[in-house]
Amino acid sequence: MFHTVYAKDPMSAALQWIVNAESPHGIGASQPFDEGQLPNSVSRSIWRGTEVGQPGHAVVSSGFSELDSQLPGGGWPCNAITELLQPQPTLCEWRLLSPALAGLVASGGQILLVGPPKRPHAPGLLKLGIAEKNLVWIAADTPAERLWTAEQLVKANPRGGAILAWLPQARAEQLRRLQVHAQSCDCPVFLFRPEAAQLDASPAPLRVLASLGTDWQLNVQILKRKGALIDGSIALTSIPGTLASVFTPRLMRPSQLITKSMEPSNVSTLGSATHRRRLRQLAAH
């Protein structure tokens, strides 16, 4: 038999039991909830907002241990879209994603490109472990063409590769439709958008802002994930291509060279422009 509770009666014993979780008959105080009483499948699905979420689907390692430790499940998610924001197109995406894409290519996967702003540089990508034969470049010029092409590829569910789409003008409802389709797509789906888009709402479960650092590193800020937010950014060592084998130790740390060049010098050479300027200043007084 159901108990009828009238909200207008705040002193109702049944209402007090619902609000305070106390028995109306004073049987005793409620006990703390014990997760151990739940089935294992249910217990594993419980997620606390302060924890980094565990994936319900497969992930692909980013190739950066520092980044994997902060990504839910330890890598780029499949069955979902990932937004990569950056100050300008083609600035960070290849350096950030190439370790993961190279792993997919090594397993026979195809990298599908939708509307890249610039022609992919095949020799440079080969240095990153991505051969030209594993790239499929789809030239979609207008925003509508790029969006339609990306949606069709996601719905087709290509196996073993990845989908990279440049959608700077996509709206929230369009991204939401892509996210719905991506839930049935078994490969990572990356959408590249401008840095200013971080102020817009997005249905993407994972949003990342990437920028270039002084010492060849990538600064990655996780704007949205299943878990607590991270203050600041993650610095990832990422020297383009094979430059690490030809760089001198000084070139590996450009910030030190810049700092030294900006230090003021107290020594002026006789006859130099600095020396003549100081003589003119003295003469003016």
Side-chain angles (χ1 to χ4, degrees):
M1 182 177 181
F2 294 102
H3 294 283
T4 304
V5 179
Y6 297 95
K8 64 181 180 179
D9 184 8
M11 300 306 294
S12 167
L15 182 60
Q16 182 181 5
W17 175 61
I18 292 174
V19 174
N20 299 327
E22 296 178 355
S23 171
H25 304 292
I27 296 177
S30 60
Q31 299 297 321
F33 179 71
D34 183 10
E35 293 182 14
Q37 299 177 0
L38 295 173
N40 291 335
S41 59
V42 177
S43 180
R44 289 194 301 267
S45 301
I46 295 178
W47 168 69
R48 296 175 177 84
T50 56
E51 299 175 344
V52 178
Q54 297 300 314
H57 303 283
V59 299
V60 176
S61 173
S62 69
F64 300 97
S65 58
E66 309 95 320
L67 181 58
D68 282 346
S69 64
Q70 299 298 336
L71 294 177
W76 300 117
C78 302
N79 304 103
I81 61 175
T82 296
E83 272 193 89
L84 175 56
L85 313 181
Q86 50 188 342
Q88 66 184 56
T90 68
L91 185 64
C92 305
E93 57 261 53
W94 291 113
R95 287 171 59 185
L96 179 59
L97 299 183
S98 61
L101 299 180
L104 294 173
V105 166
S107 302
Q110 297 288 322
I111 309 302
L112 309 177
L113 312 178
V114 180
K118 298 180 181 179
R119 182 183 182 89
H121 186 247
L125 293 177
L126 184 61
K127 295 292 186 181
L128 298 176
I130 305 171
E132 185 178 4
K133 64 179 181 179
N134 297 110
L135 288 176
V136 179
W137 175 23
I138 303 174
D141 298 327
T142 67
E145 290 176 349
R146 288 192 293 267
L147 182 65
W148 182 87
T149 303
E151 185 172 335
Q152 300 307 309
L153 291 176
V154 171
K155 291 166 66 175
N157 189 19
R159 302 299 179 97
I163 300 173
L164 282 61
W166 284 259
L167 302 176
Q169 298 170 319
R171 300 190 300 272
E173 62 271 16
Q174 296 169 335
L175 298 176
R176 189 174 299 110
R177 188 167 64 247
L178 279 175
Q179 168 61 17
V180 170
H181 293 312
Q183 294 175 6
S184 301
C185 183
D186 296 325
C187 72
V189 179
F190 298 99
L191 308 181
F192 305 109
R193 309 195 63 216
E195 181 180 7
Q198 64 180 302
L199 303 177
D200 302 332
S202 172
L206 179 63
R207 304 185 83 193
V208 172
L209 173 63
S211 59
L212 299 180
T214 306
D215 291 328
W216 304 107
Q217 79 269 18
L218 290 173
N219 296 325
V220 178
Q221 182 180 359
I222 300 179
L223 303 176
K224 179 183 178 182
R225 67 172 181 175
K226 189 177 182 180
L229 295 178
I230 304 176
D231 294 331
S233 59
I234 307 169
L236 306 177
T237 302
S238 175
I239 298 178
T242 56
L243 294 181
S245 61
V246 297
F247 273 178
T248 63
R250 296 181 64 188
L251 292 178
M252 296 286 285
R253 299 295 301 272
S255 61
Q256 296 181 355
L257 299 177
I258 296 174
T259 302
K260 290 182 179 180
S261 66
M262 296 180 63
E263 291 179 353
S265 176
N266 295 324
V267 180
S268 58
T269 304
L270 184 64
S272 65
T274 303
H275 182 72
R276 292 194 297 271
R277 185 167 54 254
R278 290 181 178 177
L279 289 179
R280 287 196 297 270
Q281 291 174 351
L282 291 174
H285 292 286

